[in-house]
Each structure stands twice: as C-alpha cells, then as structure tokens.
C-alpha cells in the first residue's frame, strides 16, 4: 500500500523548485506532536524548515511565554515509488461516512486477511475471502449487504468483485474516523488497485490497495454472485434442502441399549463425520444395527438419577415450576457409580 | 431435519451470547443437541480432552421468540450437530444491537448453522449480515454418547466460594504446580491444596454451606454409614482444567456447587435462571 499526502495550494507557503520527497519514521514525527491537549493549550505557532544540507527537517514549536521547542528530525532520501492509478477513470465510485465502513468491518474476525467487495446497481456485498480450497469447507463465511442509500454517493457502471487486504482497510478507517471526513472508494476490475480517498480543504489522502487479479476461480465466483443477487428469500425455513441431504447421509436407526452389547469404542472421529454423503452412506450400511425396539434411552443407571430430578426435586420448594419430576415416588436405586462417571 | 429460531429481545440475545462465549472458553468443539424444548451443549469425556466432560442445558423459550425444529425423524425428534462454539460466539458478539437474530440450519457448501442478523440503519433498508458456521451432523447411532450425564454417587456436596476468589487462588497455584487437590466436607469447609517438593499451599474456605440433598444420596449408605461431617472427600485434578472452567465464567451464577467423589471426579454445577452448566473433571493419579 502506498499513501500520498499533498497540502492543497491555498494559503500555505510551498517552496518552489523540484518537488521534494523524503521519508521519516512516523514515530519521530509523532513524538513532536505527542499530546494534542498540551499543543492546543500552549503552542502558538509551528514552523517547519527543511535543511537539505544536513538532511534534517526541523520542527519548531513556538509556545506561550516565549518558550520554543525545536525538534530536529533526520530523514532518508526516498525513491519516488508511486502507485500508478487514475481513480477518476474507475468504473465504480462510492462515498460514505467512515462509520458505515467501520460498522461493516467490525463483523469480521480481527485476524481475517482479505475481504471481497461485490457490487450491483443498488447493493454492495462485503464478505470474507477464504484463501485455501481446503479451508473453504471448514471456514466460517460472513457476508454483509449494504444498500445504496446508506452511501452519500453510489455509482456503479460495472458489476464487479474485488478482493483486497482488510487489515490495511482497518488501518485507514481508524484515521478516517478520527477526522470524520467522508471516504470515497474507487474500484474497477479485479487486478487494478482499489483507491480509498479522504479529502478536505487542507489535505488529500489516497490509499491505494492492490487487489487479487482475476483468475478462473474469481470469475466463477463472480458469475455465481451475479446469479444470486436477488434479495434474500422471505424466511427460507421451508426451502432449505437439509432433508434430502440428511436422507442421503443418515439411514441408521437408534441402536438398542448398550448393556446388551459390549461397550463400543469412541466413534466420534473424523471418518464418521466426513462430508461426502456417499461415503457416509457406505459407512452406515456396514454398521447398521438390526431393527430393535427402542428401549429406555439411559441404560447406564437409574433414569431418575439425573441432576435435574435430584436437584430441583430436593432443593427447591415443591411448588417451583422448575421441577421436572414429581417428588413423590422417587425411587433412589443403587447403581454402579463407575458406569455413571463414564 | 429443520431448525429455525429467532431472538428479538436484546437482553435475551445478550444472555445467549454470553452463554455461548462461556462454552467457547471451555472447549474448542462440542455437540449441540436441539430438541423442541431445549438446547444442549455437550462435551463427552474423551482421552483427547483429558476426560473432561460438560453438559450445558438451556430452555429455548427463555431465549427465543420463535423456535421451530423438526428432528431427524418423528421418533427421534432431535438434531445433533458438532460445532465450534467460538465461531458462534464471534458471530453473535458483533450483532448485539440487531433488531432480530435468526439461527437456521442450512445447507451451503456444507451443513451450516447460519446466523442472520437484521441490523438497524439510518436508511429505509435494514442491513443484513449473515454468518455461515460450518457444522457436522452427528448420525443417530452416535447419539448415545451425548446423553445427559448421570449424577455421580458423590461423597460430599458443597456450595462453591465466589468464583472470582477461586479463580484468583487457582491462578496463583497454577504457577507452582500442575495438580491441585480439591477437598470438602459436609460442614461447609473446602480446601484447595497444592503440594510440591518445594512448597505446599492450602487455601481454606469456611461456612460455604452444603446443598440439602445429602439426605437422598446418603440413603444409599444406610443408617450405619452416615458420613462424618468433618471427614474430607478429596480429588486430585489437573489444575489447568479447573482454571479453564473458572476462566470461562462470564456471569455470576445464582447457585454454584461442587460434588466430590473421593479420588474419582469433581462435578461442578453452575445454575443461572435459565441455564445450567455441569462440568466433570476426572481425578488424576
């Protein structure tokens, strides 16, 4: 990412001659302007002078009572590394208060690397980008939809999707929010950088972020998005096809009480819970139990010796609505405590 | 198999989120059982998690404004899912200001528990954020592993001291030893002890009170075997397991108690208004 700052020309002295460029540690400059409250109370004027001979930038703070604080900060020459972009030629332009974007990124994990932004004529989707094919089946997918009227300006010429670094976006949002200035976002096709711009009367900041270039994978996702842009189905409780999935997956019935056969080794391992429906079906056919009448679910001890029945029965007054079993007739049976603990 | 629930009350959403966050601090993965009346978060004791097991029970009507489910079949009207509670917690934490939050079982790239929240905006259209949390469906033949644990035949049952105090004590003891002995008696006294080559430390708690169900449990023993109230029942446990349990607690429970089976297991029970949490820590040699 690169960022460029240029003071607007009105009302400030700018040395004539070839443009000057240098780079300095931000921490050094921060040290000069450390306490905003103190600055506002005591500093009357700030003088910034360039000493090209000594490679120094001198900040002189003229404070009250004749006090002067001088900071000499050394700089390094820097190659003028400029991102090539022309944001005014970009197809899609959006402008909003930074709060909108801040409220959007808060839904994503702080460790998330990249985010994908897709647009249609009147909506913008922001979702997390999952790098690995392998992760895709296990990863949590988060998607947020913003309507065009949440933006000050929403102009879309091409329905595109771009993926870029979320961490950088978070950084610049912190800055933008502190200034309260509206953020403009320009993007075009995947591969070309996305530019976020913050402007006011004294400064113009452009944050240029690289985007993932278009590959077949991206294009597939893009076409899928185009197909699924209609608004979310009104409560698709009845539309989810879990049933057919489940029928394929699980054809077993409840096994009989475990007391009738030797205790089985722990079965909850990945081979039983893999995602391929066909493989699951095969596994299940091999281990399918015979049709048995389902007897009492808990065979390892007396059914009454569950926490609820013991506790709510004895500690709370009988009139309590939390009692799950009647107090009378509660038979406490001796049981093998070893089984219970397993 | 279908599930759909909707939470519209902000306090319910907050409480639900805190329960799930507590669960996420106790275990990386667990089983979520859904029945028409309840949600259960279950961790069955396996060597992999050090034999620790957990049972957390929520009454759905205390949280959800709408709750519909259809289990695997009419006879087995339940849904059993293996889930990573941290994902659920993360998704819920960011939508605390939502107008409504829906939880749904869906099939995306794999079976998912989808959390869809309708967020308030200044514009006419609500903002919708969806989180698809992948889950594994647990087949019926494994359901027996996730049944409610039976109450162990405890030797002593006692109310716990304030969890925060316990946590402070255990945190410091953890620096000195990997194992801790929990002991308690029917006189409301509990001790937490560590014992190493260099140092022994014991913290004493008094006047804790004992839950009044001792009567029923002690009937097992018969009149000649009524327990001496001063006799301590103790269990030596891995201190990290106890610390993990204490660290995760987000809300002060209305009741907190502990059952000790001598040299076998520590059974911790936390009760809130509408949630109960049981946690079993097995003894180590």
């Amino acid at each position: 990412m690169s960022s460029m700052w240029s003071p607007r020309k009105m009302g400030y002295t700018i040395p004539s001659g070839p443009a000057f460029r240098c780079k300095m540690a931000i921490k050094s400059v921060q040290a000069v302007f450390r306490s905003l409250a103190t600055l506002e109370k005591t500093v009357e004027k700030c003088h910034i002078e360039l000493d090209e001979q000594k490679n120094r930038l001198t900040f002189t703070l003229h404070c009250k009572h004749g006090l002067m604080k001088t900071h000499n900060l050394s700089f390094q020459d820097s190659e003028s590394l400029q991102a090539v972009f022309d944001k005014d030629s970009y197809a899609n332009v959006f402008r909003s208060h930074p709060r909108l974007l801040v409220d959007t990124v808060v839904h994503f994990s702080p460790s998330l690397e990249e985010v994908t932004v897709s647009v249609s004529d009147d909506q913008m989707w922001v979702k997390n980008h999952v790098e690995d094919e392998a992760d895709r089946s296990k990863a949590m997918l988060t998607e947020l939809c913003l309507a065009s009227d949440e933006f000050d300006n929403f102009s879309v010429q091409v329905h595109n999707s771009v993926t870029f670094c979320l961490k950088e976006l978070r950084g610049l949002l912190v800055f933008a929010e502190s200034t309260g200035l509206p953020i403009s976002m320009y993007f075009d096709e995947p591969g070309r950088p996305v530019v976020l711009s913050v402007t006011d009367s004294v400064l113009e900041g452009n944050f240029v972020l690289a985007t993932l270039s278009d590959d077949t994978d991206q294009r597939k996702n893009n076409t899928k998005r185009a197909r699924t842009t209609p608004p979310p189905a009104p409560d698709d409780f009845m539309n989810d096809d879990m049933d057919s999935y489940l029928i394929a997956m699980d054809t077993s019935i409840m096994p009989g009480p475990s007391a009738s056969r030797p205790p089985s080794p722990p079965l909850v391992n990945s081979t039983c819970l893999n995602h391929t429906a066909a493989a699951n079906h095969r596994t299940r056919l091999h281990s399918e139990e015979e049709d048995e009448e389902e007897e009492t679910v808990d065979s390892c001890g007396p059914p009454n010796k569950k926490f609820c029945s013991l506790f709510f029965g004895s500690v709370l007054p009988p009139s309590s609505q939390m009692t799950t079993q009647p107090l009378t007739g509660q038979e406490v049976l001796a049981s093998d405590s070893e089984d219970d603990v397993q | 198999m279908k599930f759909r629930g909707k939470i519209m009350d902000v306090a319910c959403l907050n409480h639900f989120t805190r329960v799930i966050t507590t669960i996420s601090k106790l275990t990386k993965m667990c089983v979520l059982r859904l029945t028409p009346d309840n949600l259960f978060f279950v961790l069955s004791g396996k060597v992999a998690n050090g034999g620790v097991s957990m049972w957390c029970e929520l009454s759905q009507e205390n949280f959800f404004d709408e709750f519909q489910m259809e289990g695997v079949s009419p006879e087995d009207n339940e849904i059993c899912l293996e889930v990573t509670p941290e994902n659920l917690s993360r998704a819920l934490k960011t939508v605390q200001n939502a107008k409504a939050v829906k939880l749904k079982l869906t099939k995306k790239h794999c079976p998912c528990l989808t959390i869809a929240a309708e967020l308030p905006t200044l514009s006419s259209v609500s903002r919708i954020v969806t989180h698809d949390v992948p889950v594994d469906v647990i087949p019926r033949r494994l359901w027996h592993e996730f049944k409610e644990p039976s109450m162990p035949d405890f030797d002593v049952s006692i109310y716990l001291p304030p969890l925060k105090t316990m946590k402070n004590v255990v945190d410091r003891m953890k620096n000195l030893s990997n194992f801790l002995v929990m002991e308690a008696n029917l006189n409301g006294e509990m001790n937490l002890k560590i014992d190493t080559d260099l140092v022994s430390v014991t913290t004493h708690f008094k006047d804790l009170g004992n839950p009044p169900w001792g009567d029923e449990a002690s009937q097992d023993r018969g009149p000649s075997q009524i327990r001496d109230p001063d006799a301590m029942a103790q269990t030596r446990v891995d201190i990290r397991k106890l610390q993990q349990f204490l660290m995760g607690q987000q809300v002060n429970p209305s009741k907190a108690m502990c059952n000790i089976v001598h040299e076998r297991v520590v059974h911790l029970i936390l009760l809130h208004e509408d949630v109960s949490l049981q946690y079993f820590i097995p003894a180590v040699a």
Side-chain angles (χ1 to χ4, degrees):
Chain A
M1 174 184 105
S2 74
S3 50
M4 293 154 4
W5 301 95
S6 45
R8 290 292 191 80
K9 293 222 162 104
M10 26 189 204
Y12 294 88
T13 339
I14 294 179
S16 57
F20 171 72
R21 259 201 173 75
C22 72
K23 71 180 176 188
M24 307 170 65
I26 289 188
K27 285 205 163 80
S28 321
V29 184
Q30 266 184 316
V32 179
F33 301 100
R34 180 145 287 151
S35 163
L36 198 58
T38 321
L39 287 178
E40 281 178 1
K41 269 192 275 186
T42 60
V43 175
E44 289 164 355
K45 192 164 72 170
C46 172
H47 185 82
I48 305 176
E49 189 171 339
L50 173 64
D51 187 342
E52 277 187 273
Q53 253 82 43
K54 292 193 192 160
N55 276 5
R56 269 198 328 215
L57 202 58
T58 302
F59 291 81
T60 311
L61 298 173
H62 297 253
C63 308
K64 279 191 191 150
H65 313 302
L67 213 61
M68 252 176 39
K69 294 184 194 168
T70 309
H71 299 259
N72 295 313
L73 304 177
S74 304
F75 57 76
Q76 298 163 300
D77 282 334
S78 96
E79 287 288 305
S80 123
L81 192 69
Q82 184 160 348
V84 176
F85 67 94
D86 177 11
K87 65 189 190 206
D88 295 319
S89 73
Y90 277 14
N92 301 327
V93 183
F94 314 92
R95 194 175 72 244
S96 76
H97 191 275
R99 186 106 282 266
L100 179 66
L101 295 179
V102 169
D103 286 346
T104 302
V105 303
V106 78
H107 295 282
F108 297 94
S109 156
S111 61
L112 179 63
E113 293 279 341
E114 283 155 341
V115 76
T116 302
V117 173
S118 316
V119 290
S120 73
D121 285 332
D122 52 8
Q123 284 175 306
M124 175 186 283
W125 288 268
V126 184
K127 59 180 185 145
N128 59 325
H129 176 75
V130 183
E131 229 358 278
D132 268 314
E133 226 5 281
D135 286 340
R136 209 157 288 177
S137 57
K138 284 284 170 198
M140 180 164 123
L141 295 182
T142 301
E143 183 177 290
L144 180 61
C145 181
L146 300 168
S148 58
D149 57 359
E150 296 201 66
F151 290 82
D152 298 336
N153 178 20
F154 193 97
S155 147
V156 172
Q157 286 171 29
V158 185
H159 295 187
N160 262 333
S161 260
V162 287
T163 302
F164 54 90
C165 183
L166 177 62
K167 289 199 162 118
E168 307 284 5
L169 176 63
R170 284 189 204 267
L172 82 88
L173 284 176
V174 170
F175 169 77
E177 236 206 329
S178 67
T179 60
L181 296 170
I183 296 187
S184 298
M185 183 155 113
Y186 303 78
F187 71 83
D188 208 78
E189 49 194 50
R192 292 180 78 187
V194 57
V195 181
L196 292 120
S197 184
V198 180
T199 310
D200 81 350
S201 55
V202 296
L203 63 84
E204 178 185 332
N206 290 310
F207 298 82
V208 183
L209 304 178
T211 64
L212 278 189
S213 65
D214 201 6
D215 52 23
T216 46
D217 204 325
Q218 186 99 342
R219 255 181 268 125
K220 253 192 288 177
N221 286 339
N222 282 346
T223 49
K224 229 192 284 187
R225 172 134 321 287
R227 266 189 276 120
T228 55
T229 39
D235 226 319
D236 51 355
F237 176 58
M238 303 313 273
N239 296 346
D240 288 315
D241 59 353
M242 280 305 291
D243 276 352
S244 48
Y245 177 85
L246 254 308
I247 287 166
M249 256 203 67
D250 176 19
T251 56
S252 68
I253 49 163
M254 281 292 269
S258 56
S260 62
R261 43 185 179 83
S264 47
L267 286 171
V268 182
N269 56 38
S270 52
T271 56
C272 296
L273 301 175
N274 69 50
H275 297 294
T276 317
N280 271 340
H281 191 64
R282 272 199 301 279
T283 324
R284 224 139 270 109
L285 285 176
H286 285 309
S287 55
E288 201 149 42
E289 303 293 330
E290 302 169 17
D291 224 294
E292 290 188 44
E293 286 286 285
E294 190 192 310
E295 299 179 22
T296 170
V297 158
D298 171 40
S299 57
C300 292
N304 286 351
K305 281 201 78 174
K306 289 289 191 272
F307 166 66
C308 272
S309 50
L310 276 180
F311 182 75
F312 293 116
S314 59
V315 176
L316 298 173
S319 56
S320 162
Q321 279 156 7
M322 278 153 64
T323 314
T324 53
Q325 307 227 349
L327 282 178
T328 54
Q330 206 173 34
E331 207 186 350
V332 178
L333 307 168
S335 73
D336 184 349
S337 59
E338 268 172 350
D339 275 351
D340 289 349
V341 171
Q342 272 160 17
Chain B
M1 209 170 79
K2 298 193 209 314
F3 163 61
R4 177 191 168 279
K6 192 167 176 186
I7 302 179
M8 292 174 66
D9 178 82
V10 68
C12 292
L13 177 61
N14 187 260
H15 193 18
F16 187 66
T17 307
R18 277 190 278 139
V19 172
I20 298 211
T21 304
T22 301
I23 304 279
S24 72
K25 299 216 156 77
L26 291 175
T27 175
K28 200 155 171 287
M29 300 197 80
C30 70
V31 167
L32 169 60
R33 275 181 60 188
L34 298 163
T35 67
D37 296 319
N38 291 301
L39 292 93
F40 304 98
F41 290 94
V42 189
L43 177 68
S44 70
K46 295 263 185 303
V47 176
N49 37 295
V52 161
S53 57
M54 170 191 76
W55 175 268
C56 179
E57 183 170 327
L58 289 81
S59 167
Q60 61 86 351
E61 63 184 11
N62 286 323
F63 296 92
F64 290 86
D65 287 272
E66 290 166 31
F67 191 91
Q68 293 156 271
M69 68 144 295
E70 265 173 46
V72 173
S73 72
E75 309 84 48
D76 301 316
N77 194 21
E78 263 190 46
I79 298 175
C80 242
L81 306 167
E82 192 183 32
V83 70
T84 303
E86 212 222 317
N87 284 339
L88 294 174
S89 163
R90 223 174 335 119
L92 288 169
K93 278 201 270 211
T94 60
V95 297
Q96 292 298 297
N97 61 337
K99 289 194 240 173
V101 175
K102 273 191 239 172
L103 260 78
K104 275 191 295 200
L105 189 58
T106 57
K107 166 117 171 66
K108 303 273 167 96
H109 49 289
C110 65
C112 285
L113 209 48
T114 295
I115 295 176
E118 199 183 319
L119 302 167
T121 63
L122 296 168
S123 82
S124 51
V125 185
S126 271
R127 207 184 293 162
I128 309 247
V129 60
T130 53
H131 298 271
D132 294 318
V133 177
V135 296
D136 276 329
V137 179
I138 300 206
R140 271 177 288 186
R141 67 191 164 78
L142 297 176
W143 284 11
H144 63 275
E145 295 194 22
F146 307 105
K147 291 292 167 203
E148 183 174 359
S150 302
M151 179 68 82
D153 261 338
F154 52 80
D155 295 296
V156 167
S157 180
I158 189 168
Y159 287 116
L160 290 171
L163 295 183
K164 203 149 173 252
T165 312
M166 262 187 93
K167 177 178 168 325
N168 285 338
V169 169
V170 172
D171 280 348
R172 273 150 195 63
M173 285 182 166
K174 180 170 167 298
N175 294 329
L176 299 169
S177 167
N178 283 334
F179 302 103
L180 173 146
V181 170
M182 273 184 87
E183 64 175 21
N185 65 22
L186 289 172
N187 250 345
E189 291 170 343
M190 173 190 271
N191 301 329
L192 299 176
K193 310 198 293 201
I194 55 163
D195 192 5
T196 69
D197 291 337
L198 293 175
V199 65
S200 302
V201 183
T202 307
T203 303
H204 304 268
F205 296 95
K206 288 211 259 262
D207 298 326
L208 294 173
N210 302 84
W213 51 4
D215 294 343
E216 266 152 56
S218 64
Q219 268 165 32
D220 291 3
R221 292 173 236 276
S224 59
Q225 294 175 34
I226 289 179
R227 195 182 166 82
D228 170 15
D230 285 327
M232 289 280 181
Q234 69 171 46
T235 303
R236 188 161 176 264
V237 297
D238 181 337
I239 203 172
R240 287 164 300 184
K241 306 273 181 292
L242 182 59
Q243 192 195 35
Q244 193 171 19
F245 173 77
L246 294 167
M247 256 177 12
Q249 300 316 313
Q250 304 242 300
V251 194
N252 272 330
S254 35
K255 277 192 161 52
M257 65 196 85
C258 160
N259 297 334
I260 301 184
V261 181
H262 189 71
E263 300 295 8
R264 268 294 163 65
V265 69
V266 168
H267 176 205
L268 298 151
I269 305 168
L270 300 184
L271 286 187
H272 304 263
E273 256 167 40
D274 32 31
V275 181
S276 74
L277 175 65
Q278 297 180 54
Y279 201 70
F280 295 82
I281 309 181
V284 293

